Amino acid sequence: GLASTSLAFAQTYPNKPISWIVPFAAGGPTDALARGIAERVSRELGQPIIIDNAPGAGGTVGAAKAARATADGYTMLVGHMGYMGAAPALYKKLAYDPVKDFEPVFRFPDTPLVLMVRREHPAKDIQGLIDFGRKNPDKLFISNAGVGSSSHLIAALVANSAGMKVTLVPYKGAGPALVDVIGGQVDGIFDQTNTALPQITEEKVRALAVTSKVRLPQLKNVPTLNETVLPGFEASTWYGIYAPKGTPKPVLDKVQQAYLKVMTDKSFTDKMAAQAIQMLPAQEYTGSALGKHTEAEVARWRAVAAKANISLD
Ligand code: MLT
């Protein structure tokens, strides 16, 4: 029967390289985090995990590609809060359903974000930037990774809550979006800590605020939005690995076991801590926890997007 064939199939799995689709350009935080985790998970599984960057439309192009892939365990999606949480509320004709078209496999640790501005921007702190944005409604250009990316969502939410009008400039990923803040072509970006911290340390950009509830050890002198202009505000990007619906469960279990070993490896957790990436309680990493989280997030973002009238640009 099917169960025995999929069990036999799982016994030989994996016997060739695996592809993880990252729906943003290389060099961004999702790409960087996925590559670091893929390298460790592939060591556990004994086969290479190849990153396939498939950018476009805030990650929804790559997510649709993953939903259509063969459900054999050799193609998976690196999902995240935007295209696997908020997208159904933002894209009227979404080519996939984050819940129905996928098997949740495991969740990554969360990444808070840092609001950074180009060095020459006149704003010296977060209040100064908001005052600037209010006084010059069409003079603040904030780059992001496309409609529905976390850099877009959080910029839209913060601008909305702070009563300032910003122009949101989409790129194929936060990697290229950050390059243009460093180059001064755009004014600012909300970017995840793993890619933001090196640029701040090298003073290529200036950090004005973080989206975590409490200050980050690596940025003690950078205030949170919560303690300054948006009391109660907290946001971080969550991620997870999803397989196309129908991928055999013994395959998913094998990948999940490999992953959970990585999550308890001290060299990994130390690396995450150094990047201000937040480890989660172990039970949150499982496929079933990710599945529940995805459903809750799709519902939450419908409410948030309606209230903050965030829609397609
Ligand atoms: C985003 O949501 O902004 C993405 O994380 C961008 C990226 O990883 O390139």
Side-chain angles (χ1 to χ4, degrees), residues 158-191:
V158 170
N160 199 278
S161 319
M164 59 180 185
K165 192 155 172 356
V166 299
T167 304
L168 298 170
V169 187
Y171 289 72
K172 288 198 175 307
L178 179 53
V179 164
D180 273 9
V181 180
I182 294 166
Q185 284 76 22
V186 289
D187 296 312
I189 187 172
F190 283 87
D191 191 33

Side-chain angles (χ1 to χ4, degrees), residues 24-25 28-31 80 145 149-152 172-175 190 192 237 239:
F24 294 112
T30 306
D31 183 67
H80 95 16
S149 62
S150 47
S151 46
H152 164 258
K172 288 198 175 307
F190 283 87
Q192 284 95 310
T237 304
Y239 308 80

Side-chain angles (χ1 to χ4, degrees), residues 29-111:
T30 306
D31 183 67
L33 182 58
R35 285 176 194 274
I37 291 176
E39 198 261 321
R40 291 166 179 268
V41 171
S42 72
R43 277 210 297 264
E44 294 293 335
L45 290 175
Q47 284 290 342
I49 296 178
I50 316 287
I51 299 294
D52 170 13
N53 294 96
T60 56
V61 167
K65 175 179 177 181
R68 293 191 304 271
T70 310
D72 61 3
Y74 289 99
T75 304
M76 297 200 180
L77 170 68
V78 178
H80 95 16
M81 169 178 82
Y83 46 100
M84 295 301 275
L90 298 173
Y91 288 85
K92 299 300 160 257
K93 288 187 302 305
L94 199 58
Y96 60 90
D97 180 315
V99 177
K100 296 197 186 74
D101 296 335
F102 292 93
E103 310 285 359
V105 187
F106 56 75
R107 182 170 168 184
F108 287 0
D110 288 357
T111 47

Side-chain angles (χ1 to χ4, degrees), residues 5-16 47 74 251 254:
T5 43
S6 81
L7 202 59
F9 176 82
Q11 246 115 40
T12 63
Y13 177 88
N15 58 14
K16 63 180 181 180
Q47 284 290 342
Y74 289 99
V251 166
K254 196 171 235 183

